[in-house]
Amino acid sequence: MPRRHWAMNIVGIAGVLALCHFGESVLVVIMVSILLAFILAPVTDFFTYLRFPRSLAAAIAILLLLAALSGIVYYSYNQAATLVQDLPKYAMKVRDEAMRYRKRAESFEVLPPEHEKGVVSVRPATDWTDILTRGFGSVAGAVLAVSFIPFLVFFMLTWQQHVRSATVMLFPLESRQTAYVTLGLISAMVRSFMVGNLLIGLFVGAASTVIFGAIHLPFFYFAGFVSGFLSLVPYMGALLALVPPIFVGLGHVSSQDVLVIVVSVLALHLIALNLLYPRFLGKRLQLNPLAVTIGLLVWGGLWGAMGLVLAIPITAAMRIVFAHVDSLKPYGVWLGE
């Protein structure tokens, strides 16, 4: 009997993973829509409190989000365009630095056998569109999938109570109270996760902007917030957060300033990881580091970059579900702290 039990578990897990893999384009759109709906729910509730119809309140919330995203894209584009215009001013410095590191790397490079006797090796270029549109098939498919997100968010906001009550009614009578509590805990966790990450990103971005401005880093107001939010990326955040300030600082800042950038970025990352994350997110997520790492590995392998973004809330939601289902409680304990 135990063998059959474990065999059925393995088959079930394999079936779920296969469904997630082949249904990536649909599931990612739904997950992103759910996260956005949780972000916009307080805004919708605010306008509903002002006696706006629920549908109008949801539409206003979505329009505000689209306006904010458009402003960010417009501002980022202008900053990037200005940066590109200023690149020739220190292009020689960037080229010299790149050549210096390239020569140093070539001194340690071991040439493979095909480089002997004048054999030329041709490596295929990376097709970045394949990476960006993974799971959607093409750019047109990606655009089509993304176009569903505003409508999904709108209906999730306007039919919020109906969807929740209808979902609870799907369960047997004796399990409905447990399902209702579980859905409430997942909602609170997702909302805390989104708000917590936003607050931490704003804090780290603001602190980085002040530090970069103090050393007169070019585009410090742009590089600071980009670095702050990149710092939130699991595991790779500290390295990614160093890229914007060091790139815009090449040819403009001294080696001492580069050291200040590195130390400040690492210090802010450690503060966010060890102080801010436990305070804002720890009580809601309650995931142990091993579970987080495995979750990032699994969902990143299934869905790529979007999987890394969604891995933590999905794994935390799984822990909540496991903790309220008797047969799955041991798995919830394993995932928990």
Side-chain angles (χ1 to χ4, degrees):
M1 187 66 182
R3 290 183 178 178
R4 182 182 177 184
H5 173 71
W6 281 103
M8 293 300 294
N9 285 343
I10 293 174
V11 171
I13 293 172
V16 171
L17 293 178
L19 176 64
C20 292
H21 175 72
F22 291 106
E24 176 183 355
S25 59
V26 175
L27 294 176
V28 168
V29 169
I30 293 176
M31 292 294 180
V32 172
S33 301
I34 291 174
L35 293 181
L36 291 178
F38 276 112
I39 295 175
L40 297 179
V43 181
T44 305
D45 293 338
F46 171 76
F47 284 106
T48 304
Y49 176 78
L50 296 179
R51 299 184 181 278
F52 281 75
R54 184 77 183 180
S55 57
L56 180 59
I60 294 174
I62 294 173
L63 290 176
L64 289 176
L65 175 64
L66 293 176
L69 292 176
S70 300
I72 293 173
V73 171
Y74 179 77
Y75 176 78
S76 302
Y77 175 80
N78 287 341
Q79 295 301 315
T82 305
L83 176 61
V84 170
Q85 292 176 359
D86 288 350
L87 281 178
K89 296 180 181 179
Y90 56 98
M92 187 62 68
K93 176 68 176 179
V94 175
R95 190 181 299 110
D96 292 342
E97 292 290 334
M99 289 299 298
R100 183 165 65 88
Y101 285 110
R102 181 178 178 181
K103 290 180 180 179
R104 187 175 298 178
E106 287 177 349
S107 64
F108 295 100
E109 184 178 3
V110 178
L111 295 178
E114 59 265 20
H115 283 273
E116 298 177 358
K117 299 180 181 180
V119 178
V120 178
S121 174
V122 179
R123 298 180 181 178
T126 302
D127 189 352
W128 293 104
T129 58
D130 291 342
I131 298 176
L132 295 175
T133 60
R134 176 185 172 183
F136 298 104
S138 64
V139 175
V143 172
L144 178 63
V146 171
S147 66
F148 278 93
I149 292 179
F151 298 99
L152 285 174
V153 175
F154 175 79
F155 292 119
M156 287 178 183
L157 291 172
T158 53
W159 291 80
Q160 178 181 352
Q161 297 300 327
H162 171 77
V163 171
R164 184 170 182 176
S165 59
T167 302
V168 172
M169 294 297 292
L170 294 174
F171 294 88
L173 182 62
E174 64 275 9
S175 302
R176 289 176 184 174
Q177 179 62 29
T178 301
Y180 181 83
V181 173
T182 302
L183 288 176
L185 291 174
I186 292 175
S187 299
M189 179 274 298
V190 173
R191 186 173 291 108
S192 297
F193 176 80
M194 300 301 295
V195 174
N197 273 282
L198 177 62
L199 293 176
I200 294 171
L202 289 174
F203 171 79
V204 177
S208 301
T209 300
V210 172
I211 295 172
F212 297 162
I215 62 175
H216 305 291
L217 185 75
F219 306 100
F220 66 91
Y221 41 84
F222 178 68
F225 279 98
V226 174
S227 175
F229 279 95
L230 284 176
S231 182
L232 301 178
V233 177
Y235 295 101
M236 294 297 294
L239 295 178
L240 293 176
L242 289 171
V243 175
I246 291 180
F247 177 76
V248 301
L250 284 175
H252 285 80
V253 296
S254 63
S255 56
Q256 290 82 2
D257 292 333
V258 173
L259 181 61
V260 170
I261 292 173
V262 173
V263 172
S264 62
V265 168
L266 294 179
L268 289 172
H269 181 75
L270 291 176
I271 291 173
L273 187 64
N274 295 290
L275 296 179
L276 300 180
Y277 264 95
R279 181 177 180 82
F280 288 101
L281 301 175
K283 294 181 180 179
R284 294 293 186 185
L285 297 180
Q286 296 182 353
L287 294 172
N288 65 69
L290 179 60
V292 172
T293 305
I294 294 177
L296 291 169
L297 177 64
V298 171
W299 294 108
L302 286 173
W303 294 346
M306 288 305 304
L308 293 176
V309 174
L310 300 170
I312 294 179
I314 290 176
T315 307
M318 291 171 58
R319 185 202 63 79
I320 293 174
V321 172
F322 293 167
H324 289 82
V325 178
D326 291 336
S327 60
L328 299 177
K329 283 185 177 179
Y331 301 100
V333 173
W334 191 92
L335 292 173
E337 295 178 334

